[in-house]
Amino acid sequence: MPDDKMTPLVSHKSLMFYDLDCMLNVSTSLANGYIVILAGGAPKESVLNAQGCVVNQPIEKEADNIVLGFLALTEGNVIDSCFGVSPVTSKMSSSRKYVERLKSLLLSAADENDDIRRLAVDTYIEIFGVLLQYQGQLRNLNCFTRCFRYGRLRRQAQANLERVFETLKHAIQTCTRLEI
């Protein structure tokens, strides 16, 4: 069972792994860098998906790469970027406090079930892939099509991010017994 300092985090339904506005504003180069860090190396190749956007195919992950990727999540600034928390700011904002509790929750869940590490790493690799796809679609818009399609693309990206995190949310809820 999680300790008292993590109890106020949130319920399973409201557990968030990112702030939508901050997440969608993570730069392409930063997202690619996080994919490399989390996957333990550079992607094998880039391929075009059905929408014509470039999607990187991550390398196969070895056990050591999973440990390093999980450390990047829990001790690094990968999750911080998903909430717009700057690593150079010493101020303890509500976002920074939430990020710290989320990292503690991930560590606690991973202590209960070793598979959480791989799932968390794979999930964050996939969400940065969703982000790259979204940004690729935005780059293909001109000033006229942006007016009509931006909202739909944003809602689609949000739905994709929520879908990707559902498995991790459920696994964490199961390991830490968060109330639904």
Side-chain angles (χ1 to χ4, degrees):
M1 185 134 193
D3 58 17
D4 289 338
K5 71 178 180 183
M6 290 183 354
T7 305
L9 182 60
V10 282
S11 71
H12 168 64
K13 288 184 179 179
S14 64
L15 180 62
M16 293 300 299
F17 294 90
Y18 63 94
D19 174 272
L20 182 63
D21 291 329
C22 296
M23 186 71 207
L24 295 180
N25 287 318
V26 170
S27 71
T28 302
S29 60
L30 195 58
N32 276 316
Y34 286 149
I35 289 172
V36 170
I37 289 169
L38 294 170
K44 284 185 194 173
E45 58 186 60
S46 294
V47 296
L48 292 179
N49 64 11
Q51 290 81 23
C53 299
V54 175
V55 178
N56 292 323
Q57 299 298 313
I59 62 170
E60 291 296 319
K61 295 174 285 305
E62 297 176 11
D64 289 344
N65 294 342
I66 296 298
V67 171
L68 291 174
F70 191 73
L71 280 172
L73 289 173
T74 57
E75 302 297 328
N77 63 349
V78 176
I79 294 176
D80 300 47
S81 294
C82 297
F83 286 91
V85 174
S86 172
V88 294
T89 304
S90 61
K91 182 181 172 190
M92 194 56 128
S93 66
S94 61
S95 294
R96 181 176 293 283
K97 289 176 187 175
Y98 185 88
V99 166
E100 293 305 319
R101 289 192 315 256
L102 179 60
K103 288 178 179 183
S104 294
L105 183 64
L106 279 171
L107 285 166
S108 174
D111 286 344
E112 293 289 323
N113 183 346
D114 285 336
D115 294 335
I116 295 291
R117 286 179 178 83
R118 176 177 289 279
L119 181 59
V121 169
D122 289 345
T123 299
Y124 274 92
I125 289 171
E126 190 172 349
I127 64 118
F128 286 113
V130 167
L131 175 63
L132 292 174
Q133 178 181 354
Y134 168 76
Q135 291 173 343
Q137 290 170 330
L138 287 183
R139 275 194 304 277
N140 290 332
L141 300 178
N142 61 39
C143 63
F144 297 112
T145 56
R146 183 177 285 269
C147 293
F148 298 106
R149 295 189 183 147
Y150 174 79
R152 180 179 56 84
L153 291 176
R154 183 181 168 89
R155 285 187 302 276
Q156 185 179 40
Q158 181 178 6
N160 289 339
L161 289 170
E162 290 171 2
R163 176 191 49 79
V164 169
F165 276 115
E166 276 308 306
T167 305
L168 183 58
K169 275 185 181 182
H170 179 69
I172 288 175
Q173 183 261 336
T174 301
C175 288
T176 59
R177 296 173 208 81
L178 282 175
E179 296 296 320
I180 295 182

mmCIF file of all heavy atoms in Angstrom, residues 68-110:
data_model
loop_
_atom_site.group_PDB
_atom_site.id
_atom_site.type_symbol
_atom_site.label_atom_id
_atom_site.label_comp_id
_atom_site.label_asym_id
_atom_site.label_seq_id
_atom_site.Cartn_x
_atom_site.Cartn_y
_atom_site.Cartn_z
ATOM 1 N N LEU A 68 17.705 1.989 -17.312
ATOM 2 C CA LEU A 68 18.151 3.361 -17.578
ATOM 3 C C LEU A 68 16.985 4.241 -18.016
ATOM 4 O O LEU A 68 16.889 5.403 -17.612
ATOM 5 C CB LEU A 68 19.258 3.365 -18.630
ATOM 6 C CG LEU A 68 20.581 2.757 -18.178
ATOM 7 C CD1 LEU A 68 21.569 2.686 -19.345
ATOM 8 C CD2 LEU A 68 21.165 3.542 -17.027
ATOM 9 N N GLY A 69 16.099 3.698 -18.835
ATOM 10 C CA GLY A 69 14.924 4.460 -19.262
ATOM 11 C C GLY A 69 14.023 4.806 -18.081
ATOM 12 O O GLY A 69 13.510 5.928 -17.986
ATOM 13 N N PHE A 70 13.841 3.842 -17.178
ATOM 14 C CA PHE A 70 13.008 4.088 -16.006
ATOM 15 C C PHE A 70 13.663 5.127 -15.092
ATOM 16 O O PHE A 70 12.981 5.980 -14.525
ATOM 17 C CB PHE A 70 12.738 2.783 -15.246
ATOM 18 C CG PHE A 70 11.689 2.916 -14.191
ATOM 19 C CD1 PHE A 70 10.349 3.045 -14.535
ATOM 20 C CD2 PHE A 70 12.033 2.919 -12.849
ATOM 21 C CE1 PHE A 70 9.367 3.184 -13.553
ATOM 22 C CE2 PHE A 70 11.061 3.049 -11.864
ATOM 23 C CZ PHE A 70 9.724 3.181 -12.217
ATOM 24 N N LEU A 71 14.977 5.073 -14.977
ATOM 25 C CA LEU A 71 15.686 6.094 -14.188
ATOM 26 C C LEU A 71 15.509 7.473 -14.816
ATOM 27 O O LEU A 71 15.378 8.472 -14.104
ATOM 28 C CB LEU A 71 17.170 5.756 -14.075
ATOM 29 C CG LEU A 71 17.526 4.711 -13.032
ATOM 30 C CD1 LEU A 71 18.997 4.313 -13.146
ATOM 31 C CD2 LEU A 71 17.218 5.206 -11.636
ATOM 32 N N ALA A 72 15.507 7.543 -16.147
ATOM 33 C CA ALA A 72 15.282 8.822 -16.815
ATOM 34 C C ALA A 72 13.897 9.370 -16.488
ATOM 35 O O ALA A 72 13.709 10.583 -16.368
ATOM 36 C CB ALA A 72 15.442 8.665 -18.328
ATOM 37 N N LEU A 73 12.933 8.472 -16.317
ATOM 38 C CA LEU A 73 11.587 8.896 -15.948
ATOM 39 C C LEU A 73 11.522 9.364 -14.498
ATOM 40 O O LEU A 73 10.986 10.430 -14.202
ATOM 41 C CB LEU A 73 10.577 7.756 -16.139
ATOM 42 C CG LEU A 73 10.239 7.362 -17.565
ATOM 43 C CD1 LEU A 73 9.360 6.119 -17.575
ATOM 44 C CD2 LEU A 73 9.560 8.505 -18.299
ATOM 45 N N THR A 74 12.068 8.562 -13.598
ATOM 46 C CA THR A 74 11.881 8.825 -12.168
ATOM 47 C C THR A 74 12.940 9.735 -11.548
ATOM 48 O O THR A 74 12.670 10.375 -10.534
ATOM 49 C CB THR A 74 11.835 7.509 -11.373
ATOM 50 O OG1 THR A 74 13.037 6.772 -11.604
ATOM 51 C CG2 THR A 74 10.632 6.676 -11.791
ATOM 52 N N GLU A 75 14.120 9.779 -12.126
ATOM 53 C CA GLU A 75 15.188 10.617 -11.574
ATOM 54 C C GLU A 75 15.580 11.749 -12.519
ATOM 55 O O GLU A 75 16.238 12.694 -12.109
ATOM 56 C CB GLU A 75 16.432 9.771 -11.258
ATOM 57 C CG GLU A 75 16.177 8.633 -10.296
ATOM 58 C CD GLU A 75 15.735 9.098 -8.918
ATOM 59 O OE1 GLU A 75 16.161 10.180 -8.469
ATOM 60 O OE2 GLU A 75 14.940 8.376 -8.282
ATOM 61 N N GLY A 76 15.200 11.647 -13.766
ATOM 62 C CA GLY A 76 15.542 12.655 -14.766
ATOM 63 C C GLY A 76 14.435 13.668 -14.966
ATOM 64 O O GLY A 76 13.559 13.828 -14.113
ATOM 65 N N ASN A 77 14.463 14.326 -16.117
ATOM 66 C CA ASN A 77 13.482 15.386 -16.353
ATOM 67 C C ASN A 77 12.498 15.064 -17.475
ATOM 68 O O ASN A 77 11.866 15.960 -18.015
ATOM 69 C CB ASN A 77 14.198 16.710 -16.632
ATOM 70 C CG ASN A 77 15.034 16.663 -17.889
ATOM 71 O OD1 ASN A 77 15.253 15.616 -18.468
ATOM 72 N ND2 ASN A 77 15.502 17.817 -18.316
ATOM 73 N N VAL A 78 12.335 13.797 -17.815
ATOM 74 C CA VAL A 78 11.392 13.421 -18.865
ATOM 75 C C VAL A 78 9.970 13.772 -18.439
ATOM 76 O O VAL A 78 9.236 14.464 -19.157
ATOM 77 C CB VAL A 78 11.508 11.920 -19.209
ATOM 78 C CG1 VAL A 78 10.455 11.516 -20.224
ATOM 79 C CG2 VAL A 78 12.902 11.593 -19.741
ATOM 80 N N ILE A 79 9.562 13.324 -17.275
ATOM 81 C CA ILE A 79 8.209 13.600 -16.787
ATOM 82 C C ILE A 79 8.055 15.089 -16.510
ATOM 83 O O ILE A 79 7.001 15.670 -16.779
ATOM 84 C CB ILE A 79 7.879 12.741 -15.553
ATOM 85 C CG1 ILE A 79 7.825 11.257 -15.942
ATOM 86 C CG2 ILE A 79 6.561 13.173 -14.920
ATOM 87 C CD1 ILE A 79 7.603 10.303 -14.797
ATOM 88 N N ASP A 80 9.100 15.721 -16.012
ATOM 89 C CA ASP A 80 9.050 17.163 -15.752
ATOM 90 C C ASP A 80 8.642 17.925 -17.014
ATOM 91 O O ASP A 80 7.801 18.828 -16.962
ATOM 92 C CB ASP A 80 10.420 17.680 -15.284
ATOM 93 C CG ASP A 80 10.905 17.021 -14.017
ATOM 94 O OD1 ASP A 80 10.843 15.774 -13.930
ATOM 95 O OD2 ASP A 80 11.382 17.730 -13.125
ATOM 96 N N SER A 81 9.215 17.545 -18.152
ATOM 97 C CA SER A 81 8.901 18.213 -19.413
ATOM 98 C C SER A 81 7.446 18.033 -19.806
ATOM 99 O O SER A 81 6.856 18.914 -20.432
ATOM 100 C CB SER A 81 9.789 17.675 -20.543
ATOM 101 O OG SER A 81 11.123 18.021 -20.315
ATOM 102 N N CYS A 82 6.871 16.912 -19.454
ATOM 103 C CA CYS A 82 5.462 16.646 -19.784
ATOM 104 C C CYS A 82 4.518 17.534 -18.991
ATOM 105 O O CYS A 82 3.341 17.641 -19.328
ATOM 106 C CB CYS A 82 5.131 15.172 -19.534
ATOM 107 S SG CYS A 82 6.060 14.038 -20.564
ATOM 108 N N PHE A 83 5.023 18.158 -17.931
ATOM 109 C CA PHE A 83 4.225 19.074 -17.118
ATOM 110 C C PHE A 83 4.738 20.508 -17.209
ATOM 111 O O PHE A 83 4.270 21.380 -16.480
ATOM 112 C CB PHE A 83 4.225 18.633 -15.652
ATOM 113 C CG PHE A 83 3.367 17.431 -15.395
ATOM 114 C CD1 PHE A 83 3.901 16.157 -15.463
ATOM 115 C CD2 PHE A 83 2.022 17.571 -15.107
ATOM 116 C CE1 PHE A 83 3.107 15.040 -15.244
ATOM 117 C CE2 PHE A 83 1.215 16.468 -14.876
ATOM 118 C CZ PHE A 83 1.767 15.191 -14.950
ATOM 119 N N GLY A 84 5.718 20.747 -18.073
ATOM 120 C CA GLY A 84 6.253 22.091 -18.230
ATOM 121 C C GLY A 84 7.094 22.557 -17.068
ATOM 122 O O GLY A 84 7.285 23.752 -16.871
ATOM 123 N N VAL A 85 7.622 21.618 -16.294
ATOM 124 C CA VAL A 85 8.453 21.957 -15.139
ATOM 125 C C VAL A 85 9.898 22.075 -15.609
ATOM 126 O O VAL A 85 10.451 21.146 -16.175
ATOM 127 C CB VAL A 85 8.339 20.885 -14.029
ATOM 128 C CG1 VAL A 85 9.300 21.166 -12.894
ATOM 129 C CG2 VAL A 85 6.909 20.809 -13.528
ATOM 130 N N SER A 86 10.474 23.227 -15.382
ATOM 131 C CA SER A 86 11.853 23.480 -15.791
ATOM 132 C C SER A 86 12.818 22.872 -14.786
ATOM 133 O O SER A 86 12.659 23.067 -13.578
ATOM 134 C CB SER A 86 12.101 24.985 -15.890
ATOM 135 O OG SER A 86 13.465 25.248 -16.098
ATOM 136 N N PRO A 87 13.842 22.156 -15.277
ATOM 137 C CA PRO A 87 14.800 21.548 -14.349
ATOM 138 C C PRO A 87 15.704 22.570 -13.657
ATOM 139 O O PRO A 87 16.311 22.264 -12.657
ATOM 140 C CB PRO A 87 15.616 20.608 -15.231
ATOM 141 C CG PRO A 87 15.449 21.128 -16.612
ATOM 142 C CD PRO A 87 14.112 21.823 -16.660
ATOM 143 N N VAL A 88 15.763 23.797 -14.166
ATOM 144 C CA VAL A 88 16.653 24.793 -13.573
ATOM 145 C C VAL A 88 15.963 25.651 -12.521
ATOM 146 O O VAL A 88 16.614 26.392 -11.815
ATOM 147 C CB VAL A 88 17.260 25.719 -14.661
ATOM 148 C CG1 VAL A 88 18.180 24.934 -15.562
ATOM 149 C CG2 VAL A 88 16.192 26.426 -15.442
ATOM 150 N N THR A 89 14.655 25.550 -12.410
ATOM 151 C CA THR A 89 13.908 26.335 -11.431
ATOM 152 C C THR A 89 13.946 25.641 -10.075
ATOM 153 O O THR A 89 13.645 24.462 -9.973
ATOM 154 C CB THR A 89 12.440 26.502 -11.871
ATOM 155 O OG1 THR A 89 12.438 27.074 -13.164
ATOM 156 C CG2 THR A 89 11.677 27.377 -10.917
ATOM 157 N N SER A 90 14.311 26.368 -9.055
ATOM 158 C CA SER A 90 14.337 25.780 -7.715
ATOM 159 C C SER A 90 13.009 25.977 -6.997
ATOM 160 O O SER A 90 12.777 25.373 -5.957
ATOM 161 C CB SER A 90 15.471 26.402 -6.893
ATOM 162 O OG SER A 90 15.262 27.787 -6.760
ATOM 163 N N LYS A 91 12.142 26.813 -7.536
ATOM 164 C CA LYS A 91 10.847 27.083 -6.917
ATOM 165 C C LYS A 91 9.986 25.819 -6.909
ATOM 166 O O LYS A 91 9.901 25.112 -7.894
ATOM 167 C CB LYS A 91 10.141 28.194 -7.697
ATOM 168 C CG LYS A 91 8.813 28.597 -7.130
ATOM 169 C CD LYS A 91 8.194 29.686 -7.979
ATOM 170 C CE LYS A 91 6.770 29.935 -7.506
ATOM 171 N NZ LYS A 91 6.071 30.792 -8.447
ATOM 172 N N MET A 92 9.342 25.551 -5.779
ATOM 173 C CA MET A 92 8.510 24.360 -5.638
ATOM 174 C C MET A 92 7.066 24.715 -5.993
ATOM 175 O O MET A 92 6.262 25.030 -5.133
ATOM 176 C CB MET A 92 8.607 23.817 -4.213
ATOM 177 C CG MET A 92 8.067 22.424 -4.082
ATOM 178 S SD MET A 92 8.858 21.287 -5.210
ATOM 179 C CE MET A 92 9.352 20.016 -4.129
ATOM 180 N N SER A 93 6.754 24.671 -7.284
ATOM 181 C CA SER A 93 5.397 24.979 -7.750
ATOM 182 C C SER A 93 4.498 23.765 -7.533
ATOM 183 O O SER A 93 4.956 22.665 -7.220
ATOM 184 C CB SER A 93 5.434 25.345 -9.231
ATOM 185 O OG SER A 93 5.812 24.216 -9.991
ATOM 186 N N SER A 94 3.205 23.961 -7.740
ATOM 187 C CA SER A 94 2.271 22.836 -7.602
ATOM 188 C C SER A 94 2.551 21.771 -8.659
ATOM 189 O O SER A 94 2.420 20.577 -8.388
ATOM 190 C CB SER A 94 0.831 23.321 -7.686
ATOM 191 O OG SER A 94 0.581 23.933 -8.933
ATOM 192 N N SER A 95 2.982 22.191 -9.850
ATOM 193 C CA SER A 95 3.329 21.218 -10.897
ATOM 194 C C SER A 95 4.533 20.385 -10.485
ATOM 195 O O SER A 95 4.561 19.177 -10.675
ATOM 196 C CB SER A 95 3.618 21.917 -12.219
ATOM 197 O OG SER A 95 2.462 22.523 -12.725
ATOM 198 N N ARG A 96 5.541 21.047 -9.930
ATOM 199 C CA ARG A 96 6.742 20.323 -9.498
ATOM 200 C C ARG A 96 6.396 19.335 -8.383
ATOM 201 O O ARG A 96 6.876 18.211 -8.367
ATOM 202 C CB ARG A 96 7.828 21.278 -9.031
ATOM 203 C CG ARG A 96 9.114 20.545 -8.601
ATOM 204 C CD ARG A 96 10.235 21.462 -8.220
ATOM 205 N NE ARG A 96 10.773 22.236 -9.295
ATOM 206 C CZ ARG A 96 11.600 21.781 -10.239
ATOM 207 N NH1 ARG A 96 11.937 20.527 -10.237
ATOM 208 N NH2 ARG A 96 12.067 22.563 -11.172
ATOM 209 N N LYS A 97 5.541 19.751 -7.449
ATOM 210 C CA LYS A 97 5.122 18.854 -6.365
ATOM 211 C C LYS A 97 4.374 17.650 -6.931
ATOM 212 O O LYS A 97 4.588 16.517 -6.511
ATOM 213 C CB LYS A 97 4.242 19.590 -5.362
ATOM 214 C CG LYS A 97 4.981 20.596 -4.515
ATOM 215 C CD LYS A 97 4.032 21.354 -3.613
ATOM 216 C CE LYS A 97 4.756 22.474 -2.892
ATOM 217 N NZ LYS A 97 3.827 23.297 -2.108
ATOM 218 N N TYR A 98 3.498 17.894 -7.896
ATOM 219 C CA TYR A 98 2.744 16.796 -8.515
ATOM 220 C C TYR A 98 3.695 15.842 -9.225
ATOM 221 O O TYR A 98 3.566 14.622 -9.102
ATOM 222 C CB TYR A 98 1.703 17.337 -9.502
ATOM 223 C CG TYR A 98 0.832 16.241 -10.065
ATOM 224 C CD1 TYR A 98 -0.322 15.861 -9.401
ATOM 225 C CD2 TYR A 98 1.175 15.569 -11.232
ATOM 226 C CE1 TYR A 98 -1.118 14.837 -9.884
ATOM 227 C CE2 TYR A 98 0.393 14.547 -11.720
ATOM 228 C CZ TYR A 98 -0.752 14.185 -11.053
ATOM 229 O OH TYR A 98 -1.525 13.169 -11.530
ATOM 230 N N VAL A 99 4.665 16.385 -9.957
ATOM 231 C CA VAL A 99 5.639 15.559 -10.665
ATOM 232 C C VAL A 99 6.416 14.689 -9.690
ATOM 233 O O VAL A 99 6.616 13.495 -9.928
ATOM 234 C CB VAL A 99 6.595 16.437 -11.520
ATOM 235 C CG1 VAL A 99 7.812 15.655 -11.979
ATOM 236 C CG2 VAL A 99 5.854 17.027 -12.713
ATOM 237 N N GLU A 100 6.823 15.260 -8.564
ATOM 238 C CA GLU A 100 7.567 14.489 -7.568
ATOM 239 C C GLU A 100 6.712 13.361 -6.996
ATOM 240 O O GLU A 100 7.189 12.243 -6.800
ATOM 241 C CB GLU A 100 8.081 15.403 -6.444
ATOM 242 C CG GLU A 100 9.147 16.394 -6.900
ATOM 243 C CD GLU A 100 10.342 15.743 -7.566
ATOM 244 O OE1 GLU A 100 10.810 14.684 -7.090
ATOM 245 O OE2 GLU A 100 10.814 16.286 -8.590
ATOM 246 N N ARG A 101 5.439 13.647 -6.730
ATOM 247 C CA ARG A 101 4.548 12.595 -6.228
ATOM 248 C C ARG A 101 4.304 11.528 -7.289
ATOM 249 O O ARG A 101 4.234 10.344 -6.974
ATOM 250 C CB ARG A 101 3.233 13.203 -5.742
ATOM 251 C CG ARG A 101 3.397 14.006 -4.462
ATOM 252 C CD ARG A 101 2.073 14.364 -3.806
ATOM 253 N NE ARG A 101 1.068 14.858 -4.707
ATOM 254 C CZ ARG A 101 0.694 16.130 -4.838
ATOM 255 N NH1 ARG A 101 1.263 17.045 -4.099
ATOM 256 N NH2 ARG A 101 -0.269 16.472 -5.675
ATOM 257 N N LEU A 102 4.171 11.941 -8.547
ATOM 258 C CA LEU A 102 3.980 10.981 -9.633
ATOM 259 C C LEU A 102 5.200 10.074 -9.771
ATOM 260 O O LEU A 102 5.068 8.855 -9.928
ATOM 261 C CB LEU A 102 3.699 11.712 -10.947
ATOM 262 C CG LEU A 102 3.504 10.833 -12.182
ATOM 263 C CD1 LEU A 102 2.321 9.874 -12.001
ATOM 264 C CD2 LEU A 102 3.294 11.706 -13.418
ATOM 265 N N LYS A 103 6.380 10.648 -9.691
ATOM 266 C CA LYS A 103 7.601 9.846 -9.763
ATOM 267 C C LYS A 103 7.659 8.857 -8.592
ATOM 268 O O LYS A 103 8.030 7.691 -8.784
ATOM 269 C CB LYS A 103 8.844 10.749 -9.753
ATOM 270 C CG LYS A 103 9.039 11.519 -11.043
ATOM 271 C CD LYS A 103 10.254 12.431 -10.934
ATOM 272 C CE LYS A 103 10.510 13.209 -12.195
ATOM 273 N NZ LYS A 103 11.730 14.036 -12.092
ATOM 274 N N SER A 104 7.285 9.302 -7.399
ATOM 275 C CA SER A 104 7.254 8.408 -6.236
ATOM 276 C C SER A 104 6.246 7.291 -6.431
ATOM 277 O O SER A 104 6.496 6.142 -6.063
ATOM 278 C CB SER A 104 6.896 9.192 -4.970
ATOM 279 O OG SER A 104 7.901 10.108 -4.664
ATOM 280 N N LEU A 105 5.116 7.630 -7.017
ATOM 281 C CA LEU A 105 4.095 6.624 -7.285
ATOM 282 C C LEU A 105 4.596 5.587 -8.290
ATOM 283 O O LEU A 105 4.386 4.384 -8.106
ATOM 284 C CB LEU A 105 2.817 7.289 -7.803
ATOM 285 C CG LEU A 105 1.638 6.370 -8.055
ATOM 286 C CD1 LEU A 105 1.172 5.724 -6.753
ATOM 287 C CD2 LEU A 105 0.492 7.141 -8.692
ATOM 288 N N LEU A 106 5.289 6.037 -9.330
ATOM 289 C CA LEU A 106 5.874 5.099 -10.301
ATOM 290 C C LEU A 106 6.884 4.177 -9.629
ATOM 291 O O LEU A 106 6.903 2.965 -9.890
ATOM 292 C CB LEU A 106 6.546 5.850 -11.453
ATOM 293 C CG LEU A 106 5.646 6.360 -12.567
ATOM 294 C CD1 LEU A 106 6.427 7.261 -13.523
ATOM 295 C CD2 LEU A 106 5.030 5.203 -13.333
ATOM 296 N N LEU A 107 7.727 4.745 -8.784
ATOM 297 C CA LEU A 107 8.717 3.927 -8.066
ATOM 298 C C LEU A 107 8.042 2.914 -7.161
ATOM 299 O O LEU A 107 8.446 1.744 -7.104
ATOM 300 C CB LEU A 107 9.648 4.824 -7.251
ATOM 301 C CG LEU A 107 10.707 5.585 -8.036
ATOM 302 C CD1 LEU A 107 11.337 6.672 -7.179
ATOM 303 C CD2 LEU A 107 11.764 4.626 -8.567
ATOM 304 N N SER A 108 7.012 3.341 -6.456
ATOM 305 C CA SER A 108 6.280 2.454 -5.565
ATOM 306 C C SER A 108 5.621 1.321 -6.346
ATOM 307 O O SER A 108 5.680 0.154 -5.944
ATOM 308 C CB SER A 108 5.230 3.259 -4.801
ATOM 309 O OG SER A 108 4.424 2.416 -4.032
ATOM 310 N N ALA A 109 5.006 1.650 -7.467
ATOM 311 C CA ALA A 109 4.363 0.626 -8.298
ATOM 312 C C ALA A 109 5.398 -0.336 -8.867
ATOM 313 O O ALA A 109 5.167 -1.549 -8.927
ATOM 314 C CB ALA A 109 3.574 1.281 -9.424
ATOM 315 N N ALA A 110 6.559 0.174 -9.255
ATOM 316 C CA ALA A 110 7.619 -0.676 -9.799
ATOM 317 C C ALA A 110 8.192 -1.605 -8.726
ATOM 318 O O ALA A 110 8.616 -2.721 -9.040
ATOM 319 C CB ALA A 110 8.722 0.177 -10.408
#
